Amino acid sequence: MSFIRVDDKNKERPTGRNCILVYGYSEEALVTIDALRAQTGMDETVPVSAAALGNTLLEILENRTSDKPYEKEIGDSILVFNAPSDLELNTFLNLFRTSGLKKALIAVVTKTSIGWRFGDLAVELGR
């Protein structure tokens, strides 16, 4: 795993679908997450169902999901950001911390993780 310092003033977005993949939240919480996302200027909130946990991040990002359950139960709530600017990411995280929503495991899609199944990423984040 690698870490990169976030420049909270940088508005430049990496190439790719600008979205947040969301797993483990109720419909009501999804509405709140989507409102927070909209405040940041990010493009989309993409709910990930338990039936899609066996899909890779790339498959989910390209809307090529199918029912591929994951072999382990994932009990954590997860937010995975794809192609956010540093400013968008920092703004969302600050809003999220004060939202009252339950804590989440948080990641940003990387060149390595894009080929992982969502469930595998969830397990790795949980460690």
Short mmCIF file of all heavy atoms in Angstrom, two decimals, residues 54-59 61 64 109-118 120-121:
data_model
loop_
_atom_site.label_atom_id
_atom_site.label_comp_id
_atom_site.label_asym_id
_atom_site.label_seq_id
_atom_site.Cartn_x
_atom_site.Cartn_y
_atom_site.Cartn_z
N GLY A 54 -18.16 -9.49 -5.90
CA GLY A 54 -17.19 -10.30 -6.62
C GLY A 54 -16.72 -9.67 -7.92
O GLY A 54 -15.81 -10.18 -8.57
N ASN A 55 -17.31 -8.54 -8.29
CA ASN A 55 -16.88 -7.80 -9.49
C ASN A 55 -15.64 -6.98 -9.17
O ASN A 55 -15.45 -6.53 -8.04
CB ASN A 55 -17.99 -6.85 -9.95
CG ASN A 55 -19.15 -7.58 -10.58
OD1 ASN A 55 -19.08 -7.96 -11.73
ND2 ASN A 55 -20.21 -7.77 -9.82
N THR A 56 -14.82 -6.77 -10.20
CA THR A 56 -13.65 -5.91 -10.01
C THR A 56 -14.10 -4.45 -9.97
O THR A 56 -15.19 -4.10 -10.45
CB THR A 56 -12.62 -6.07 -11.13
OG1 THR A 56 -13.19 -5.60 -12.36
CG2 THR A 56 -12.15 -7.52 -11.27
N LEU A 57 -13.23 -3.60 -9.44
CA LEU A 57 -13.53 -2.18 -9.44
C LEU A 57 -13.72 -1.68 -10.87
O LEU A 57 -14.62 -0.88 -11.14
CB LEU A 57 -12.42 -1.40 -8.74
CG LEU A 57 -12.21 -1.72 -7.25
CD1 LEU A 57 -11.05 -0.91 -6.69
CD2 LEU A 57 -13.46 -1.49 -6.44
N LEU A 58 -12.90 -2.17 -11.78
CA LEU A 58 -13.02 -1.76 -13.19
C LEU A 58 -14.38 -2.14 -13.75
O LEU A 58 -15.03 -1.34 -14.44
CB LEU A 58 -11.90 -2.37 -14.03
CG LEU A 58 -11.90 -1.99 -15.52
CD1 LEU A 58 -11.75 -0.49 -15.69
CD2 LEU A 58 -10.81 -2.74 -16.26
N GLU A 59 -14.84 -3.35 -13.48
CA GLU A 59 -16.16 -3.78 -13.97
C GLU A 59 -17.26 -2.86 -13.42
O GLU A 59 -18.18 -2.49 -14.14
CB GLU A 59 -16.44 -5.23 -13.57
CG GLU A 59 -15.59 -6.24 -14.33
CD GLU A 59 -15.68 -7.65 -13.78
OE1 GLU A 59 -15.90 -7.83 -12.55
OE2 GLU A 59 -15.51 -8.58 -14.58
N LEU A 61 -16.89 0.27 -12.34
CA LEU A 61 -16.72 1.61 -12.92
C LEU A 61 -17.19 1.68 -14.37
O LEU A 61 -17.64 2.72 -14.83
CB LEU A 61 -15.27 2.06 -12.82
CG LEU A 61 -14.79 2.36 -11.40
CD1 LEU A 61 -13.28 2.52 -11.37
CD2 LEU A 61 -15.49 3.57 -10.83
N ARG A 64 -20.22 -2.84 -15.95
CA ARG A 64 -20.24 -4.20 -16.50
C ARG A 64 -20.43 -5.22 -15.38
O ARG A 64 -19.86 -6.30 -15.42
CB ARG A 64 -18.94 -4.48 -17.26
CG ARG A 64 -18.71 -3.64 -18.49
CD ARG A 64 -17.48 -4.06 -19.28
NE ARG A 64 -16.23 -3.85 -18.55
CZ ARG A 64 -15.39 -4.82 -18.16
NH1 ARG A 64 -15.64 -6.07 -18.43
NH2 ARG A 64 -14.28 -4.52 -17.51
N VAL A 109 -9.29 4.51 -5.70
CA VAL A 109 -8.90 3.54 -6.72
C VAL A 109 -7.50 3.90 -7.24
O VAL A 109 -7.22 5.06 -7.54
CB VAL A 109 -9.91 3.51 -7.89
CG1 VAL A 109 -9.45 2.56 -8.98
CG2 VAL A 109 -11.30 3.11 -7.39
N THR A 110 -6.66 2.88 -7.33
CA THR A 110 -5.30 3.05 -7.85
C THR A 110 -5.12 2.16 -9.08
O THR A 110 -5.98 1.32 -9.39
CB THR A 110 -4.25 2.66 -6.80
OG1 THR A 110 -4.36 1.24 -6.56
CG2 THR A 110 -4.42 3.44 -5.50
N LYS A 111 -3.98 2.30 -9.73
CA LYS A 111 -3.67 1.45 -10.88
C LYS A 111 -3.64 -0.02 -10.47
O LYS A 111 -3.97 -0.90 -11.26
CB LYS A 111 -2.32 1.83 -11.48
CG LYS A 111 -2.34 3.16 -12.17
CD LYS A 111 -0.95 3.53 -12.68
CE LYS A 111 -0.96 4.94 -13.25
NZ LYS A 111 0.36 5.37 -13.68
N THR A 112 -3.26 -0.30 -9.25
CA THR A 112 -3.21 -1.67 -8.75
C THR A 112 -4.60 -2.16 -8.35
O THR A 112 -5.05 -3.22 -8.77
CB THR A 112 -2.26 -1.78 -7.55
OG1 THR A 112 -0.96 -1.39 -7.95
CG2 THR A 112 -2.24 -3.18 -6.97
N SER A 113 -5.31 -1.36 -7.56
CA SER A 113 -6.58 -1.83 -7.01
C SER A 113 -7.71 -1.91 -8.03
O SER A 113 -8.69 -2.62 -7.81
CB SER A 113 -7.02 -0.96 -5.82
OG SER A 113 -7.37 0.34 -6.24
N ILE A 114 -7.60 -1.23 -9.15
CA ILE A 114 -8.68 -1.24 -10.14
C ILE A 114 -8.98 -2.65 -10.66
O ILE A 114 -10.10 -2.96 -11.02
CB ILE A 114 -8.39 -0.26 -11.31
CG1 ILE A 114 -9.70 0.05 -12.04
CG2 ILE A 114 -7.31 -0.81 -12.24
CD1 ILE A 114 -9.65 1.28 -12.89
N GLY A 115 -8.00 -3.54 -10.60
CA GLY A 115 -8.21 -4.92 -11.03
C GLY A 115 -8.66 -5.85 -9.91
O GLY A 115 -8.94 -7.02 -10.16
N TRP A 116 -8.77 -5.34 -8.70
CA TRP A 116 -9.21 -6.16 -7.56
C TRP A 116 -10.72 -6.28 -7.54
O TRP A 116 -11.44 -5.37 -7.94
CB TRP A 116 -8.78 -5.53 -6.25
CG TRP A 116 -7.33 -5.51 -5.96
CD1 TRP A 116 -6.30 -5.84 -6.81
CD2 TRP A 116 -6.72 -5.12 -4.74
NE1 TRP A 116 -5.10 -5.67 -6.17
CE2 TRP A 116 -5.33 -5.23 -4.90
CE3 TRP A 116 -7.21 -4.68 -3.52
CZ2 TRP A 116 -4.43 -4.92 -3.89
CZ3 TRP A 116 -6.33 -4.37 -2.52
CH2 TRP A 116 -4.95 -4.50 -2.70
N ARG A 117 -11.18 -7.41 -7.01
CA ARG A 117 -12.61 -7.53 -6.72
C ARG A 117 -12.93 -6.59 -5.55
O ARG A 117 -12.11 -6.39 -4.65
CB ARG A 117 -12.98 -8.96 -6.35
CG ARG A 117 -12.76 -9.94 -7.50
CD ARG A 117 -13.17 -11.35 -7.13
NE ARG A 117 -12.42 -11.82 -5.98
CZ ARG A 117 -12.73 -12.91 -5.27
NH1 ARG A 117 -13.78 -13.64 -5.60
NH2 ARG A 117 -11.99 -13.27 -4.24
N PHE A 118 -14.12 -6.02 -5.58
CA PHE A 118 -14.51 -5.10 -4.51
C PHE A 118 -14.39 -5.78 -3.15
O PHE A 118 -13.90 -5.18 -2.19
CB PHE A 118 -15.95 -4.58 -4.73
CG PHE A 118 -16.29 -3.38 -3.90
CD1 PHE A 118 -16.22 -2.11 -4.43
CD2 PHE A 118 -16.69 -3.52 -2.58
CE1 PHE A 118 -16.53 -0.99 -3.67
CE2 PHE A 118 -17.00 -2.41 -1.79
CZ PHE A 118 -16.91 -1.14 -2.35
N ASP A 120 -12.35 -8.16 -2.23
CA ASP A 120 -10.94 -8.28 -1.84
C ASP A 120 -10.41 -6.96 -1.30
O ASP A 120 -9.67 -6.93 -0.31
CB ASP A 120 -10.09 -8.71 -3.04
CG ASP A 120 -10.37 -10.14 -3.49
OD1 ASP A 120 -10.89 -10.94 -2.67
OD2 ASP A 120 -10.09 -10.45 -4.66
N LEU A 121 -10.82 -5.85 -1.93
CA LEU A 121 -10.41 -4.53 -1.42
C LEU A 121 -10.98 -4.32 -0.02
O LEU A 121 -10.28 -3.85 0.87
CB LEU A 121 -10.89 -3.43 -2.36
CG LEU A 121 -10.59 -2.01 -1.90
CD1 LEU A 121 -9.09 -1.75 -1.78
CD2 LEU A 121 -11.23 -0.99 -2.83
#
